[in-house]
Structure formats: C-alpha cells, structure tokens
Amino acid sequence: MTAVEQSLPAKEQQPKTIYLKDYQVPGYLIKTTDLRFEIYEGETIVSAMLHLYRNPAASTPATQLTLHGADLELISIALDGKVLTGSDYEFGEESLTIFNTPAEFKLLSITKIKPESNTSLEGLYRSRTMYCTQCEAEGFRKITYYLDRPDVMSEFTTTVVADKKYPVLLSNGNLIDQGDAENNRHYATWHDPFKKPAYLFALVAGDLAHIEDKFTTCSKREVTLKIFVEPKDLDKCDHAMTSLKNSLRWDEEVYGREYDLNIFMIVAVDDFNMGAMENKGLNIFNTSCVLAKPETTTDGGFQRVEGVVAHEYFHNWSGNRVTCRDWFQLSLKEGFTVYRDSEFSADMGSRTVKRVEDVTLLRTLQFAEDAGPMAHPIRPESYIEISNFYTMTIYEKGAEIIRMLATLLGKENFRKGTDLYFERHDGQAVTTEDFVAALSDASGRDLTQFKRWYSQAGTPRLQVSDHYDEDAQEYSLTIKQSCPPTPECQQKLPFHIPVAIGLLGSAGDLPLYLKDAEPDFETGDNTHKVLELTAAEQTFVFQRVQEKPVPSLLRGFSAPVKLHYDYSRDDLIVLMSRDSDGFNRWEASQQLGLQAIHRAMEAYQRGEDFAALQLDVDLVAAYRSVLQDDSLDKAMVAYMLSLPSEAYLSELADLVDVEAIHYSRTAIRKMIARELRDDFARIYRAYDHAQPYAATADAIAARSLKNVALGYLMVLVDETVVRACEQQYRAANNMTDVIAALTQLVNAEAPLAQQLAEVALADFYQRWQHESLVVNQWISVQATCVLPNTLAKVKTLQTHAAYDGKNPNKIRALVASFCNGNAINFHADAGAGYQFLADQIIVLNTQNPQIASRLLTPLTKWKKYSPDRQRLMKTELERIMATPGLSKDVFEVVSKSLV
Ligand code: B3K
Ligand code: ZN
C-alpha cells in the first residue's frame, strides 16, 4: 500500500463515481409540481404535490420510484391520498424509494427543513435578512424529495407563506395570487408556464427594495424588469438594469431570441457561492455581480456586472428553454452561454480588448487546469461531485469550442445552426451531440472530427515552421499538432483546428493565394485566412509571395492551443508595431516581455546581479512608439505595456521557480519604468482626475492606461510620485482610481509609501466599513501585498470586525486572494502558507464544501514545484485527506491530486 492509498478512506466508504456511460432515462416523469413553503423562524415546512407518470421512453415500465432527498425531515407522505407507512417506502443515502408505484399518481410529501442553519448555501438558506435558494446543480433535493435531475422537466406552481416582516415573496414565473394569512402572515403564489428541471427553481422571501423598468420585445410584448436589493443598495442598481435591457435587445438582434415571460426579476444576495444563477424568470445574484456605482465599484466591477447580467439572461434560451440531459452536458449551456456573453461584451465595448482579457484568463487558469490532476474534457466522462465541474474548462474552454465552430461555419451558417438548435430542441433536455448535430445539419459541414474537442482533454500544442522559396515565390507553413496526456487519456487523436493567419510584408498584409484553394475575399482584401488543420502534420503553401513574410499566426486566438513558432525579436517587434490583427499585436508584446523576463530568470538562477541586464534598445523604442501612438486604443496600449502575470509565467514553466519569476519580472518592470519614465509621466500628467466618471469603454481605457503609468512610475522610488499617488487616493471620484492608488502605496517598499499606505488603509476602512463589497476590496489589497509578513497580516484580518468566515465573498477576498494572487508570500516560510490554507479548508469542509473544494486549487499544483515545496504541499493535502467526515467535494479534488 502506498502512502497515498493509506490516507484514503476504505473503498466501501469512498464516495461513488458517476459515469456518463451509465446514463439511463428516468423511470418516471413529473407533469406538474405544486409547492407550498411555510416559512417560520427556525424551520420551514415544504409541501410538495407531484403528478408523476411512467416515462414512455423507459425500456421497462418502472414499478418503484426513487426520489432524491438530503438533510430533510419527512413528516408525512401520501400516494393518491393514501398515507404511506414504513413498509411502503425505504430511505437510502440521500434518497427515498417508494415501492409498488402505479403508472400515474399524485404524491404529496410534507417535509421540514432548517434554512437558518444551512451554511452550505445550497438549497433554501438564509442570507442576512432574507431567505433564498440555490439549486443548481443538486440543491433542490435539500428542499424536498424530488427527481432532482435535469432531464425531468415539470410545470411548477409555488406558494410562499411567511410573516409580513418579509413583504417580498418571489418565485419563478408569473404572480397569480397573493393575500393575507393568519397570524400576521401573508402569501404569494407564482406559476411558471414553462416546464423546467428542478435546478432552475428559485424562491426569495425578504424585506427588499426594488427598481423597475419596462422592455418592449421585438413582437411588441411588454416585459416588466425588476431588480430587488436590500434597501441600502437601491442606489447601485442602474448599471445592472441598463445591462439587462441591452442583453434583451442583443439576444433578439443577434440570435433572434425573445424573452418569454411577462416579468424578469433579479435579486441580489450577499452570501452566495458563485457569481449568479439563471433561475427561470428569477435570477439570483451575488451582490458582487449586480451592484455598481462609481464611488464603490471599479471599472472591472462594472464590466463584471454587465457580463454576468447578460450571461444569466442569455441562459433563458441556452440553458432554460433548451437544457441539459445530464450534468456531463454542462458545457452545452455554459460554454455556449459564455461565448454568447463574451460576444455581447465585445459588441458593447471593444472587441479586441475583450478578446485579450478572455485569452489571458484562459491561458493562465484554464491551461493550468488542463495540465493538472483535475484535467477533464469539456464533456467529462465521470465525476464524484458535479459541483467540482463548474470549471474554467467547462466554461471558458467550452466557449472557445463554440467560438471555433462559429469560425469554421461562418456567421450566416452559425446563425442557421443555432436557430435550428433552438427550434428543434425547445422544451427538451439534450446533449452536446444534439448541439453539434444541429450546427452540422444547418450548415452541411461534417463536424465528426471536430467533436474530439468534446472528449479529449489537454491543451493541444502547435509547432509551426516555415520555408520561403524565393525563386518559386512560394511560402509554406508546416503545422504539427500534438496534445499532452491527461489523467484519463494518454493517446490523443488529431483535432480539427481553425488557424487564422495573415502574412506581413514590408508594406503591410500580403494577399493570400493558398495553393489548390480559392482566394478568400471574406476579409475584403484577401489578406486573412482560416487554415483548417486536421492532420497531425500539414503543410500549407502560399503562392505569388514576393518577399519573405513574417507570419501572423492564430489571429484573434482562433483556437485554444499553445502555439510555438521561432519568432526572432525583430519579427515580434514588426508584429507588435503593425500587425493588422490587434490581438496579435498584443500577443507579440507579451512574447517580447516573456523573452526579457526569461533572460532575467536565467541570470537570477545563475546567481547574477540584475544590474548587469539591459533592455534591448529596439524593444524600448517599440514600447515607446506604442505609448506615443495616439491612434491606438488606450486600453490596448495599457495591455501591451503590461508584462505577463506571475500566474501565466508559472503556467508556462515546467518547474515553477517562485522567486526567480517574482524578482525577474519586478526587475524588468523597473527597467522599463526607467527607460520610459518621461512617457509614463506625460501620460499621468495629461490625465484629468477631476473629470466626471463614466463607465464607457473609452473612459475605462484612459483610466487603465493612466494607472499602468502610475504603476511603472511607482517602482522608481521617487517621493514626488509617491505623493502624487497619495493625492490620487485622496482626490479620486471613483473606486478604480482609489484602489489603483491604494494598491500602489501598499506594495511600495519606500518608508514614505508605507507610512502613507497605513494612513490610507485606516482612512479607507473608516470611510467604507458599512459597504461590504468595498470592504472586500480593502481586504484583497492587503492580502495580495507582495511585501514580507503578509501572511501574519492575513491572519490578523481574519479576526477583524470586517471579516466574516461564513461569507464566501469575504473568504475569496482574503484567503483566495492570498493563496492564488500572492505567490511570493503563499510559497514562503517553509510551508506556512500551505498550512494556513489547509486549516481553512478543513474548517470549511463541514461548513461549506463547495467553497472548501474551490480553495484547494493552489495545493493541487504541487507537482510543479521544487522537491521541498512538493513535500510540504503534499503533507497538507494528506492532512486534509485524513480529516474525518470529508465532503465529496473535497474528497474528489484531494484524492485526484494525490494520485
Ligand atoms: N449556472 C450557474 C452556476 C451554478 C453553479 C452551481 N455550483 C451560474 C452560471 O453559470 O450562469
Ligand atoms: Zn452560466
């Protein structure tokens, strides 16, 4: 027995693995679901009347019914009015089986639940002053006994009864009745005409304020839009409302999708495990994804609200009207909906900027996931706890797969495909196969090979080489693809990969005459082409090429792959200065930054002084010309001047040298700052801090460039700059500038900066202590401070009045920020950071397993670190594994990481 096996619980006690290959249609379906919730302080009584009938699609007629149920107290259960007794049914682990069930019947169950003590934030729970629900994926079984699986779709009617101190009583659909009840209580009845799986059920009861608006749909129906919040937050709803109206319009225009109920509601909740939830007609949001106003919310916050509001709204079609057959199909709704919301954001702001942001996220977090122990294809084959599969892979890589389909089919055919998908499957629970089939049928394209993207995990690697034959005026590109082995699949078959390219000549993009293919005038001038790579190795020959070009490869990041081509520094400078593809200009800037950092890392590892390093003059000139180019979008300039993050550098490394990465990157930053000091100072001075705040793309871009300039100037240890930074902190009229200045002060070593940082931090808390979301930003800034002793400060913050160890947003702001966003401190002090994290996970394992499991990510990467660190990280994983009563969530991630 190995050490790992010893630390695992005995096989029979281990949670069970669920396999896609075992899928079976349900034996029963539920025609209607009538629910009644009697909410009292301390307990809620749930009556559920289910109209069940045998599923005609089942191979043999079912004669018993197994319902899901967890943490429920059954008070009574009756079948067609006859009360059932102990011999009629049997409890299982999280289930209730009723024997001898007829073809069709009504089942009435009465159960008791305790929302007040539900700290998992799954099912019905209490958050501050209100009651709310979170059912996806399998939370409905914590509310009542039910067929809690997405292929059971039912028509819901819900009555909520509560004390009048909860004046607002909401559920899905349309309000059909309301009135008084005994003992100062009242009720509301909601009916949802669209059948839906239980995971889309929602209920809210609370003392809430709301803003209201109207939207006229394309077929001239009027829809009421309401956003409910705690009264103190009523001034932070406008941005979400605008985003919502824009989303409704966009889905009509771009996908032909109209909203279908008379009312659409959003409720903001402070205790929430993730960002938001698309419950039919009643979206429930984490306050962090709906509330926004300039004084309290950063630009990033404004953009997140817009994106998440859109995402949840778009689920009304991609997820609710057409839902998933089983949870292996999760990317069917999530990948598609992320693709939809990212296109929406691109249309609302800048397309290239949005692409850069999405790709940055994908390449740092998703690529790392795909190379680690939790790697899985976008349609997994198995899971222990489905909550663990709401991942970067299912969401972000899933969206990239849809983007590739859109690229391969072209705009028109892609739209035909989605139209057919919605039409064919409206009201059904379907699979990713169904989605691809609709796209294939509508476009006439064979997508058989493409489907490998759904079943093979890992990030493909493209090795590109080229050859220019001057005499023949031919230029050839040879692309080899490979994909590293992942836990469940060692040998991969070649993927179908769209590789968008252009060729840069001395005077700009060259026209493309691909041998044996028609010229492609889709781009207007035939300078852009999507090559379709299907074999392990393929050569593409371009004719009439009059000079040796610089290839611009994978334009717009046309596929989620790692591209390798041996660019010289001069090639990269050419691409950065004049590629017609904005994304690739940025990409070249990042490659240049990487080259410089990698050289510094080598010097650091040889024990050399950074003082001996110098930035190449051409590189400095190229950066300078970007800074001085007024025709460029300022947001792009800001991104081009920002070096690749430590997280991305770690992802690229086979073995992560935490110190080399941190100190080398810092050294290169300093060198850039010194060289471009005057340009940064000019940009900083030119910015007018008194101008009124706007959350438009231009205004956001200007702020981001100005704050990048401030960041560079601050590394130069200059008293005037430190004072200017403090001045920005005090005078700024918006949170973006306040937080940017505060972050700079907190991270600057100079004694003056530290002194001012302390005063500013105290002032900030004093000012914002009653705004929970603002306090979270204050916590985060401190948790990500790269200076020594941060772990001690993090521990002190845990005891601060501002902290609440039960609130996921607070845990994310403090613990997750420190462990994921502060490598130099998390990995310091002989494993003190690892120990700290494991301690948190062990506490959260019982309190909130989903959050506990999420926090594990940095420890799962232990194999990428030095032997010393490996040992320390593994020790903590084993300590977690040995904890009695491990949740399925934590068990799955830890056991897979220890293999
Ligand atoms: N569908 C929800 C996520 C639910 C997560 C459950 N653990 C939000 C979204 O993706 O829109
Ligand atoms: Zn979603």
Side-chain angles (χ1 to χ4, degrees):
M1 218 192 241
T2 65
V4 172
E5 283 161 350
Q6 268 171 8
S7 61
L8 295 174
K11 266 264 169 330
E12 57 284 4
Q13 292 156 22
Q14 280 179 25
K16 187 161 116 250
T17 301
I18 319 281
Y19 295 92
L20 167 59
K21 62 174 167 42
D22 294 343
Y23 173 83
Q24 284 189 332
V25 299
Y28 278 94
L29 296 173
I30 308 175
K31 193 168 165 19
T32 55
T33 300
D34 286 273
L35 301 170
R36 183 180 173 87
F37 290 79
E38 289 272 2
I39 299 177
Y40 299 99
E41 298 303 314
E43 63 182 46
T44 292
I45 306 297
V46 184
S47 313
M49 173 69 94
L50 313 182
H51 182 165
L52 290 130
Y53 64 101
R54 278 188 193 135
N55 183 359
S59 49
T60 48
T63 51
Q64 59 178 44
L65 168 71
T66 298
L67 299 171
H68 302 106
D71 307 334
L72 304 172
E73 188 186 320
L74 183 66
I75 295 173
S76 71
I77 186 158
L79 192 155
D80 285 335
K82 177 182 164 286
V83 175
L84 300 182
T85 61
S87 59
D88 300 321
Y89 59 85
E90 185 178 275
F91 290 105
E93 200 195 323
E94 308 212 336
S95 69
L96 171 67
T97 299
I98 301 162
F99 307 115
N100 301 320
T101 43
E104 188 173 343
F105 60 101
K106 288 203 169 155
L107 188 71
L108 174 64
S109 73
I110 299 174
T111 43
K112 189 198 280 184
I113 51 177
K114 299 203 160 138
E116 291 79 1
S117 49
N118 179 356
T119 57
S120 68
L121 312 189
E122 203 190 19
L124 178 66
Y125 64 94
R126 194 174 163 112
S127 171
R128 293 167 55 92
T129 58
M130 68 180 101
Y131 291 88
C132 65
T133 53
Q134 171 53 37
C135 295
E136 190 178 357
E138 298 178 333
F140 193 76
R141 63 189 62 183
K142 291 184 163 188
I143 291 177
T144 190
Y145 286 104
Y146 203 75
L147 287 172
D148 188 9
R149 45 187 289 172
D151 54 356
V152 173
M153 299 174 80
S154 176
E155 191 180 321
F156 281 68
T157 306
T158 305
T159 299
V160 188
V161 195
D163 191 284
K164 285 187 178 165
K165 72 179 178 196
Y166 305 106
V168 175
L169 305 175
L170 309 174
S171 191
N172 317 84
N174 301 311
L175 181 66
I176 54 168
D177 190 16
Q178 59 184 329
D180 287 342
E182 280 171 17
N183 299 326
N184 199 38
R185 291 164 68 79
H186 68 147
Y187 74 92
T189 302
W190 294 80
H191 172 245
D192 182 358
F194 294 94
K195 62 188 181 124
K196 64 169 177 288
Y199 85 84
L200 290 172
F201 171 80
L203 173 160
V204 169
D207 184 3
L208 304 171
H210 74 272
I211 65 162
E212 187 169 334
D213 211 326
K214 294 261 179 262
F215 180 86
T216 309
T217 70
C218 50
S219 70
K220 302 280 174 273
R221 275 190 316 102
E222 196 165 271
V223 179
T224 302
L225 309 174
K226 291 186 181 183
I227 300 180
F228 292 88
V229 294
E230 286 189 34
K232 66 181 174 57
D233 292 322
L234 205 55
D235 59 340
K236 307 186 195 78
C237 299
D238 291 350
H239 182 62
M241 184 60 89
T242 306
S243 306
L244 179 60
K245 288 189 284 182
N246 288 340
S247 307
L248 272 102
R249 187 64 70 214
W250 189 90
D251 215 15
E252 291 182 347
E253 286 169 0
V254 181
Y255 282 86
R257 300 294 113 204
E258 184 180 358
Y259 186 61
D260 48 12
L261 288 164
N262 304 330
I263 181 164
F264 185 88
M265 298 175 282
I266 289 179
V267 180
V269 176
D270 211 39
D271 300 278
F272 208 64
N273 280 347
M274 64 276 174
M277 178 64 211
E278 70 265 26
N279 318 300
K280 181 79 189 187
L282 177 56
N283 286 189
I284 298 184
F285 271 60
N286 187 323
T287 44
S288 72
C289 293
V290 59
L291 304 180
K293 70 170 183 179
E295 296 76 18
T296 58
T297 314
T298 60
D299 292 338
F302 270 85
Q303 287 168 321
R304 184 170 63 241
V305 168
E306 180 180 73
V308 178
V309 166
H311 179 97
E312 305 311 331
Y313 173 69
F314 296 156
H315 268 315
N316 189 54
W317 276 96
S318 50
N320 301 4
R321 289 287 287 258
V322 183
T323 195
C324 301
R325 186 193 73 173
D326 55 73
W327 292 120
F328 297 100
Q329 317 299 328
L330 184 56
S331 203
L332 172 80
K333 73 178 178 81
E334 296 305 347
F336 187 25
T337 305
V338 172
Y339 173 68
R340 278 151 56 70
D341 85 58
S342 74
E343 284 294 293
F344 166 77
S345 295
D347 284 347
M348 295 294 123
S350 151
R351 181 158 286 272
T352 311
V353 171
K354 175 65 178 156
R355 192 68 189 132
V356 164
E357 290 166 351
D358 287 351
V359 172
T360 301
L361 190 74
L362 184 85
R363 288 207 295 211
T364 40
L365 302 181
Q366 196 280 324
F367 281 16
E369 181 171 274
D370 232 348
M374 283 294 288
H376 52 277
I378 66 160
R379 187 193 54 214
E381 307 280 332
S382 70
Y383 60 76
I384 292 177
E385 170 52 64
I386 187 57
S387 297
N388 285 330
F389 286 78
Y390 287 75
T391 58
M392 292 305 274
T393 299
I394 301 291
Y395 277 66
E396 313 302 324
K397 185 176 181 179
E400 293 299 318
I401 307 311
I402 308 299
R403 179 175 300 277
M404 287 192 286
L405 284 167
T407 303
L408 289 170
L409 264 59
K411 207 174 167 168
E412 228 168 88
N413 275 331
F414 182 71
R415 170 67 193 267
K416 276 191 204 153
T418 59
D419 281 354
L420 179 61
Y421 169 71
F422 289 125
E423 185 197 309
R424 202 183 255 179
H425 298 296
D426 189 8
Q428 298 177 4
V430 303
T431 64
T432 55
E433 297 270 342
D434 294 321
F435 181 82
V436 178
L439 261 55
S440 175
D441 292 349
S443 65
R445 287 223 43 171
D446 181 356
L447 297 170
T448 316
Q449 184 183 355
F450 186 86
K451 285 199 279 188
R452 289 179 189 158
W453 282 106
Y454 283 88
S455 57
Q456 299 188 141
T459 307
R461 181 191 153 96
L462 301 190
Q463 183 70 51
V464 183
S465 56
D466 60 349
H467 176 73
Y468 180 59
D469 181 341
E470 194 171 358
D471 298 334
Q473 306 238 312
E474 277 188 358
Y475 175 76
S476 56
L477 278 172
T478 299
I479 314 182
K480 282 189 199 165
Q481 60 163 306
S482 59
C483 185
T486 38
E488 278 156 22
C489 181
Q490 298 299 306
Q491 284 285 325
K492 311 282 166 78
L493 295 167
F495 291 91
H496 182 176
I497 306 177
V499 183
I501 64 127
L503 299 177
L504 256 73
S506 43
D509 279 13
L510 302 174
L512 304 176
Y513 301 100
L514 184 61
K515 200 171 176 174
D516 308 322
E518 292 296 308
D520 181 354
F521 289 100
E522 224 184 64
T523 49
D525 58 358
N526 190 33
T527 59
H528 179 88
K529 188 141 202 89
V530 178
L531 305 176
E532 295 197 22
L533 180 67
T534 50
E537 178 173 345
Q538 228 166 310
T539 297
F540 300 90
V541 180
F542 295 91
Q543 298 174 311
R544 292 153 65 183
V545 183
Q546 283 160 11
E547 56 181 311
K548 183 176 189 316
V550 177
S552 168
L553 303 167
L554 207 68
R555 281 185 160 172
F557 203 70
S558 61
V561 299
K562 290 190 178 184
L563 177 87
H564 296 267
Y565 171 83
D566 193 16
Y567 281 117
S568 69
R569 201 195 40 233
D570 289 347
D571 287 345
L572 290 172
I573 288 175
V574 166
L575 290 170
M576 172 162 124
S577 325
R578 48 188 185 79
D579 195 332
S580 61
D581 183 66
F583 177 86
N584 269 4
R585 289 186 73 172
W586 169 79
E587 173 63 5
S589 78
Q590 298 304 288
Q591 292 299 328
L592 286 164
L594 277 178
Q595 287 184 353
I597 296 170
H598 282 147
R599 267 201 307 278
M601 282 170 68
E602 284 159 21
Y604 179 91
Q605 284 160 341
R606 286 193 303 265
E608 291 168 17
D609 195 343
F610 287 132
L613 284 175
Q614 263 196 328
L615 275 188
D616 183 82
V617 283
D618 294 340
L619 177 61
V620 174
Y623 278 154
R624 179 168 294 123
S625 77
V626 167
L627 275 177
Q628 294 179 347
D629 185 346
D630 287 336
S631 71
L632 277 172
D633 177 348
K634 287 195 169 70
M636 285 311 296
V637 177
Y639 280 130
M640 285 166 87
L641 266 294
S642 299
L643 291 172
S645 67
E646 291 185 18
Y648 184 51
L649 289 159
S650 305
E651 201 290 310
L652 290 178
D654 290 325
L655 189 81
V656 183
D657 184 338
V658 178
E659 286 76 15
I661 288 177
H662 180 72
Y663 295 115
S664 305
R665 185 177 181 278
T666 308
I668 298 294
R669 262 175 74 73
K670 251 188 204 143
M671 288 157 72
I672 296 175
R674 254 184 255 130
E675 297 289 343
L676 298 174
R677 172 185 225 137
D678 294 344
D679 295 275
F680 288 132
R682 177 180 51 77
I683 287 169
Y684 192 75
R685 273 197 308 270
Y687 187 84
D688 173 13
H689 278 95
Q691 66 190 291
Y693 178 88
T696 58
D698 282 351
I700 290 173
R703 268 189 296 281
S704 96
L705 179 57
K706 181 263 304 183
N707 285 327
V708 164
L710 174 65
Y712 274 110
L713 293 169
M714 280 293 279
V715 300
L716 293 174
V717 194
D718 172 334
E719 194 182 316
T720 355
V721 176
V722 175
R723 297 228 178 261
C725 183
E726 200 252 353
Q727 169 66 18
Q728 172 171 326
Y729 167 77
R730 270 190 288 115
N733 61 9
N734 65 84
M735 189 51 76
T736 306
D737 285 341
V738 170
I739 282 289
L742 187 63
T743 305
Q744 293 304 333
L745 288 175
V746 165
N747 283 284
E749 250 165 308
L752 173 66
Q754 282 303 293
Q755 210 181 311
L756 293 174
E758 222 163 281
V759 179
L761 282 170
D763 169 78
F764 189 100
Y765 184 69
Q766 191 55 34
R767 174 143 183 225
W768 295 113
Q769 55 185 308
H770 303 298
E771 291 281 1
S772 181
L773 295 174
V774 183
V775 170
N776 295 348
Q777 301 179 61
W778 176 81
I779 292 173
S780 250
V781 168
Q782 298 177 78
T784 51
C785 170
V786 295
L787 302 180
N789 287 326
T790 302
L791 177 57
K793 288 190 187 147
V794 167
K795 288 182 179 168
T796 310
L797 277 170
Q798 278 191 306
T799 62
H800 194 285
Y803 194 69
D804 172 0
K806 291 208 161 57
N807 175 266
N809 289 350
K810 291 277 181 291
I811 300 168
R812 281 185 276 262
L814 187 65
V815 183
S817 297
F818 176 76
C819 301
N820 294 300
N822 196 344
I824 195 72
N825 279 306
F826 175 62
H827 293 282
D829 302 329
Y834 312 151
Q835 215 178 351
F836 166 74
L837 176 54
D839 288 344
Q840 310 308 309
I841 290 167
I842 290 169
V843 172
L844 284 164
N845 171 60
T846 22
Q847 190 182 298
N848 187 332
Q850 285 184 21
I851 298 292
S853 172
R854 292 268 140 169
L855 283 179
L856 276 162
T857 311
L859 287 176
T860 64
K861 311 229 166 79
W862 61 279
K863 284 185 185 154
K864 286 198 72 165
Y865 292 85
S866 64
D868 276 4
R869 286 185 168 136
Q870 286 200 9
R871 197 173 35 75
L872 294 165
M873 292 168 100
K874 205 169 152 219
T875 303
E876 295 307 325
L877 284 170
E878 283 164 351
R879 180 159 72 93
I880 298 170
M881 196 55 157
T883 308
L886 216 53
S887 60
K888 281 199 275 181
D889 310 60
V890 174
F891 171 83
E892 176 166 39
V893 178
V894 178
S895 59
K896 288 182 176 171
S897 303
L898 282 171
V899 170

